[in-house]
């Protein structure tokens, strides 16, 4: 195997970091290109997804991201990979919805059995959502009431659930995505009406494209990597890789092997420039990097396990400090009227150069939030 197809973990991490637009942010207003290249941005906490996108685009502001999402409709908030909430490139939404339908077909039990619904009730419910949202923008309560009025009172309870178990299947059909909020209330619209030029994609090619995009962004990947990221079994992921072997090329990683998209041209040695980045919780780089230990050292895992969401979700559940692509601290922000306070806990002392880069990173966040950034170092409680 040629030198260019042999990867150390340092090289793997450097490639993923660069492909995540953390080494070099994209040109101004390249929202669509970034959201597409990183396979979407997880959005259980929408402000975290906005920041995750913003730090990857030069000169980005929170207002500009929101304009791209709600006014220009270049982006869309909906159910994405793993059926978790995501901000996706709007043009990519039909592809990801197709991949979700393919994923559902792989599940051991259909989604409706978890809600104790029959297959007939499930179909009636999803079609009721489509009819209720036709040309309309409804809150969750309004949607539940409208669908219940159409198909029966039994539909109100599953639709009122904040977990969205029956909303994701409607989204996968192209019949639902999020609209602009009404105060603190989320609203829903028809995705195939909200997104201009909607063209449905079949499940099988959708799933293939999801695999290839993940490999491009977070490769080299193994079957286990894709299984953990997409929430399917390793056997199912391996079968998918085998089926699409013509579109992949095998490389060596630390004595084993993994996959990149066929024809990938990679430098034999990918050296990462000194970097310091503050990324939000559920950041796509952290979520996409498998095995997670490759970027979260043991000492970092131990500290993270004692703090906040880290107790349950590990590094993905916390805003983290990345030093040269490795999780090297945690942070939090407090927004005030005229400033944003950034409190950072480092797991090891920063060098003088790294400390200077942290100041630069704080200035980037100041630009994003449109407020003066105040940086404070110390242990977080």
């Amino acid at each position: 195997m040629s030198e260019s197809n042999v990867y150390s973990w340092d090289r793997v991490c450097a490639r993923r970091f660069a492909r995540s637009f953390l080494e070099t942010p994209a040109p101004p207003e390249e929202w669509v290109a970034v959201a597409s290249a990183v396979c979407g941005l997880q959005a259980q906490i929408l402000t975290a997804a906005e920041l995750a996108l913003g730090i990857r685009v030069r000169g980005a502001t929170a207002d500009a991201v929101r304009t791209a999402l709600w006014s220009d409709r270049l982006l869309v908030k909906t159910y994405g990979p793993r059926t978790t909430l995501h901000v996706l490139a709007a043009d990519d939404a039909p592809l990801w919805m197709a991949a979700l339908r393919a994923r559902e077909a792989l599940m051991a039990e259909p989604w409706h059995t978890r809600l104790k619904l029959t297959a007939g009730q499930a179909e009636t419910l999803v079609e009721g959502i489509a009819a209720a949202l036709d040309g309309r923008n409804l809150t969750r309560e309004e949607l539940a009431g409208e669908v219940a009025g159409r198909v029966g009172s039994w539909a109100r309870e599953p639709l009122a659930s904040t977990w969205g178990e029956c909303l994701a299947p409607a989204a996968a059909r192209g019949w639902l995505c999020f609209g602009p909020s009404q105060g603190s209330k989320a609203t829903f619209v028809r995705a195939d009406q909200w997104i201009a030029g909607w063209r449905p994609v079949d499940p099988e090619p959708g799933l293939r494209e999801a695999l290839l995009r993940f490999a491009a962004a977070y490769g080299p990947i193994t079957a286990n990597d894709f299984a953990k990221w997409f929430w399917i079994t390793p056997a199912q992921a391996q079968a998918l890789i085998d089926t699409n072997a013509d579109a992949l090329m095998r490389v060596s990683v630390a004595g084993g092997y993994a996959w990149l998209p066929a024809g990938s041209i990679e430098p034999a040695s990918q050296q990462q420039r000194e970097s310091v980045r503050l990324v939000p919780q559920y950041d796509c780089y952290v979520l996409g990097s498998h095995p997670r230990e490759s970027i979260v050292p043991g000492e970092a895992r131990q500290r993270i396990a004692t703090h906040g969401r880290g107790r349950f979700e590990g590094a993905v559940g916390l805003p983290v400090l990345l030093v040269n692509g490795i999780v090297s601290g945690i942070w939090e922000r407090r927004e005030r009227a005229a400033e944003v306070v950034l409190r950072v806990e480092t797991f090891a002392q920063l060098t003088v150069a790294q400390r200077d880069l942290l100041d630069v990173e704080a200035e980037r966040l100041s630009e994003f939030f449109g407020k003066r950034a105040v940086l404070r170092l110390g242990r977080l409680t």
Side-chain angles (χ1 to χ4, degrees):
M1 185 171 287
S2 68
E3 181 183 356
S4 63
N5 287 341
V6 177
Y7 283 74
S8 65
W9 277 116
D10 286 346
R11 187 182 173 198
V12 171
C13 292
R15 183 190 185 280
R16 291 171 175 172
F17 191 79
R19 292 277 178 153
S20 291
F21 296 91
L22 290 173
E23 181 177 70
T24 305
E29 299 188 1
E30 288 291 326
W31 319 113
V32 172
V34 172
S36 182
V38 300
C39 302
L41 305 113
Q42 195 159 317
Q44 280 116 308
I45 303 173
L46 182 57
T47 54
E50 293 169 349
L51 179 57
L53 182 56
I55 61 177
R56 290 168 162 84
V57 178
R58 289 200 308 272
T61 65
D63 286 343
V65 174
R66 290 164 190 158
T67 296
L69 179 59
W70 302 119
S71 298
D72 298 339
R73 303 188 191 180
L74 299 173
L75 308 168
V76 62
K77 179 184 175 185
T78 187
Y79 294 87
R82 304 175 296 283
T83 68
T84 51
L85 295 179
H86 271 68
V87 169
L88 303 171
D91 288 346
D92 287 347
L95 181 153
W96 288 109
M97 297 310 101
L100 288 187
R101 297 197 303 276
R103 178 185 176 275
E104 175 62 27
L106 296 174
M107 296 296 98
E109 62 176 11
W111 65 269
H112 57 80
T113 63
R114 298 188 290 275
L115 297 179
K116 299 181 180 179
L117 300 177
T118 67
Q121 285 178 312
E123 186 65 19
T124 297
L125 185 63
V126 172
E127 290 179 352
I129 291 172
L133 290 176
D134 187 14
R136 304 171 75 186
N137 182 333
L138 301 177
T139 66
R140 186 184 297 274
E141 294 83 359
E142 291 169 341
L143 178 61
E146 180 70 21
V147 176
R150 288 170 179 268
V151 306
S153 59
W154 60 268
R156 185 181 298 274
E157 183 177 350
L159 279 167
S161 169
T162 57
W163 291 104
E165 296 100 324
C166 57
L167 299 183
R173 301 270 194 99
W175 292 341
L176 177 144
C177 68
F178 283 74
S181 295
Q182 294 180 6
S184 61
K185 293 184 177 181
T187 72
F188 303 96
V189 293
R190 281 275 295 258
D192 57 356
Q193 296 172 355
W194 179 260
I195 298 171
W198 180 280
R199 294 290 184 272
V201 177
D202 289 335
E204 186 174 337
L207 186 56
R208 171 188 168 94
E209 186 65 18
L211 171 69
L212 297 181
R213 290 193 179 205
F214 180 70
Y218 304 106
I221 65 163
T222 65
N224 281 345
D225 297 340
F226 186 70
K228 289 178 180 177
W229 181 78
F230 204 59
W231 289 358
I232 57 178
T233 70
Q236 290 168 341
Q238 186 61 61
L240 182 63
I241 288 173
D242 292 343
T243 299
N244 294 285
D246 63 311
L248 297 165
M249 70 178 196
R250 195 166 87 164
V251 298
S252 173
V253 177
Y257 68 88
W259 302 92
L260 286 170
S264 297
I265 300 174
E266 308 285 339
S269 61
Q270 196 155 354
Q271 296 298 322
Q272 193 171 322
R273 296 195 302 267
E274 183 88 320
S275 66
V276 174
R277 294 286 183 264
L278 295 171
V279 302
Q281 59 268 62
Y282 306 115
D283 188 77
C284 53
Y285 169 75
V286 181
L287 279 162
S289 292
H290 290 285
R292 194 65 42 73
E293 294 80 8
S294 63
I295 65 164
V296 189
E299 290 184 6
R301 291 198 302 275
Q302 292 175 12
R303 169 60 181 127
I304 286 168
T306 68
H307 183 79
R309 293 174 181 263
R311 295 181 177 91
F312 312 102
E313 299 178 285
V316 300
L318 296 177
V320 296
L321 167 71
L322 299 174
V323 176
N324 300 329
I326 303 300
V327 173
S328 303
I330 53 179
W331 66 285
E332 64 184 22
R333 76 175 189 272
R334 293 287 185 270
E335 290 195 51
R336 299 173 179 172
E339 65 184 20
V340 56
V341 178
L342 308 174
R343 298 183 60 224
V344 181
E345 175 184 334
T346 64
F347 298 154
Q349 186 172 356
L350 301 180
T351 66
V352 172
Q354 290 167 351
R355 182 63 179 80
D356 289 343
L357 288 171
L358 182 56
D359 287 335
V360 173
E361 185 72 352
E363 287 303 312
R364 292 181 68 210
L365 267 62
S366 173
E367 183 177 16
F368 178 80
F369 290 112
K371 300 178 180 181
R372 182 174 70 94
V374 178
L375 185 61
R376 295 176 180 169
L377 299 183
R379 187 175 176 87
L380 301 185
T381 57

